[in-house]
Amino acid sequence: MVLRQPWQHDLHRAKRGRSTMRIGIIGLGRMGGNIARRLARAGIHPVAFDQAGEARAALAAEGLEVADSLATLLAALPPPRALWVMLPAGEATEVTLKALFSGLAAGDTVIEGGNSFWKDSLRRAGLAAARGVDYLDIGTSGGVWGLSRGYCLMIGGSQAAVQRLSPLFDALAPGEAAAAPTPGRAPGGTAQRGWLHCGPSGAGHFTKMVHNGIEYGMMQAMAEGLDLLHEGPLDIPVAEVTEVWRRGSVVSSWLLDLTAQALAADPELSGYSGHVADSGEGRWTVDTAVENAVPTPVLAAALFARFRSRKEANFADKALSAMRKGFGGHLEPK
């Protein structure tokens, strides 16, 4: 008798349903592997590839189909093919897309779901269009929790390609039940399901860039307030304050939930050095604000605070590190 986890029962039923929709997933790291898993649970058939054999083996052990090369991956997908690239922004994505484009045909679609710079997405969309290939840049938020919570998807590219692949987005997004309807908002549209076609090529990664810039500011404000509680003149139980704020306060949020969890485990956050990294989007947000003369003083200050943390860290910086680990699995540099 084979014992299955609850999600494996969903995967087993999906396999029996013989879903005909297939998609290639390239990059099986913190988010790519879970994207493949969530699609499989929804009855969509992912074919997964990663350069690392252990990443492929992990998914294969769960019953998912894996490929040992890009060529094998492409051969396993019926035309028109759809491929989701989920790799770190920069060289890894650039090299992979260059190799991928050479094997694609007119009518295929490439989705790039990492945190790439939106101007790079514009350029890549042009290269894809020259081959008759659709290119969707998708800002993907959800971190290591996306498998269970779903992913918020911000999409740039052609409307026709978005519409054609909408079952993928519905499978990955949290769905309407994730949040109560907004009072006064007319019902309908995909935003309430957790995904949105934000505009033409580049719009998805531009929107995600701004999202992450805002994230920097929110995290910094919370961390500074906790630092004031921790270092202030009164003996205040910081961990308990975050717990009470989770219930009915104006600042309640998922970030606060994760912070309270970290403080419950380690009230002094002694397991963190306070060296806070930045992964690019905060810099791009501030650069774009300067280029367009849009004042973003809070976002800029949050970015500069991360630079300062690498020279002299305080409790606020440890709180920032704890938040980054909580939502994204980001570890401090050694």
Side-chain angles (χ1 to χ4, degrees):
M1 179 179 179
V2 177
L3 297 178
R4 295 187 175 93
Q5 298 296 321
W7 69 264
Q8 289 177 308
H9 286 288
D10 294 338
L11 177 56
H12 184 62
R13 284 192 293 270
K15 285 182 174 179
R16 287 187 299 174
R18 312 295 287 180
S19 170
T20 58
M21 190 169 195
R22 296 167 69 89
I23 180 172
I25 307 293
I26 302 170
L28 307 176
R30 285 193 300 261
M31 293 178 70
N34 281 344
I35 284 174
R37 292 180 177 98
R38 188 169 173 92
L39 289 173
R41 296 180 193 183
I44 292 169
H45 188 121
V47 183
F49 170 71
D50 194 288
Q51 294 284 358
E54 59 270 23
R56 300 195 303 271
L59 286 188
E62 297 173 21
L64 278 72
E65 183 178 354
V66 300
D68 59 8
S69 68
L70 283 180
T72 305
L73 176 65
L74 290 173
L77 300 173
R81 294 167 291 191
L83 299 108
W84 187 304
V85 178
M86 201 67 188
L87 294 168
E91 184 178 4
T93 294
E94 191 73 28
V95 170
T96 299
L97 288 173
K98 183 177 180 180
L100 192 59
F101 283 161
S102 65
L104 296 179
D108 291 341
T109 303
V110 172
I111 295 168
E112 205 274 278
N115 284 326
S116 288
F117 185 41
W118 67 278
K119 290 183 180 179
D120 287 336
S121 299
L122 277 176
R123 173 178 55 80
R124 293 164 181 164
L127 295 173
R131 304 184 67 89
V133 172
D134 284 314
Y135 189 91
L136 299 180
D137 55 284
I138 301 188
T140 308
S141 183
V144 295
W145 296 88
L147 178 59
S148 57
R149 289 170 53 100
Y151 298 92
C152 176
L153 304 175
M154 296 146 269
I155 307 172
S158 79
Q159 178 64 45
V162 171
Q163 183 63 37
R164 184 169 65 250
L165 297 177
S166 60
L168 295 176
F169 311 141
D170 279 327
L172 289 172
E176 293 185 28
T182 298
R185 180 185 180 274
T190 66
Q192 66 187 30
R193 305 205 295 268
W195 65 272
L196 180 67
H197 181 211
C198 297
S201 295
H205 281 150
F206 187 92
T207 304
K208 179 58 160 51
M209 176 190 75
V210 175
H211 166 282
N212 283 23
I214 293 170
E215 181 184 285
Y216 278 38
M218 293 172 65
M219 292 170 66
Q220 184 65 30
M222 188 178 297
E224 289 180 8
L226 297 179
D227 193 34
L228 183 56
L229 288 172
H230 185 266
E231 301 296 334
L234 303 178
D235 185 14
I236 294 175
V238 179
E240 292 301 292
V241 169
T242 59
E243 189 62 27
V244 76
W245 281 354
R246 294 180 63 229
R247 293 164 171 82
S249 87
V250 174
V251 299
S252 59
S253 63
W254 187 38
L255 278 176
L256 181 63
D257 293 345
L258 295 171
T259 307
Q261 183 177 334
L263 287 167
D266 180 3
E268 292 297 318
L269 300 178
S270 57
Y272 297 91
S273 70
H275 180 129
V276 187
D278 67 287
S279 52
E281 300 91 333
R283 299 189 189 209
W284 299 335
T285 301
V286 173
D287 288 344
T288 303
V290 171
E291 289 176 3
N292 293 275
V294 175
T296 56
V298 172
L299 307 190
L303 175 64
F304 296 152
R306 294 193 177 199
F307 298 161
R308 191 260 315 135
S309 78
R310 299 163 202 175
K311 298 183 181 297
E312 49 178 22
N314 57 21
F315 186 81
D317 301 319
K318 293 180 180 181
L320 284 174
S321 282
M323 287 182 232
R324 295 185 81 244
K325 182 180 180 182
F327 68 75
H330 303 290
L331 301 178
E332 292 180 329
K334 294 183 179 180

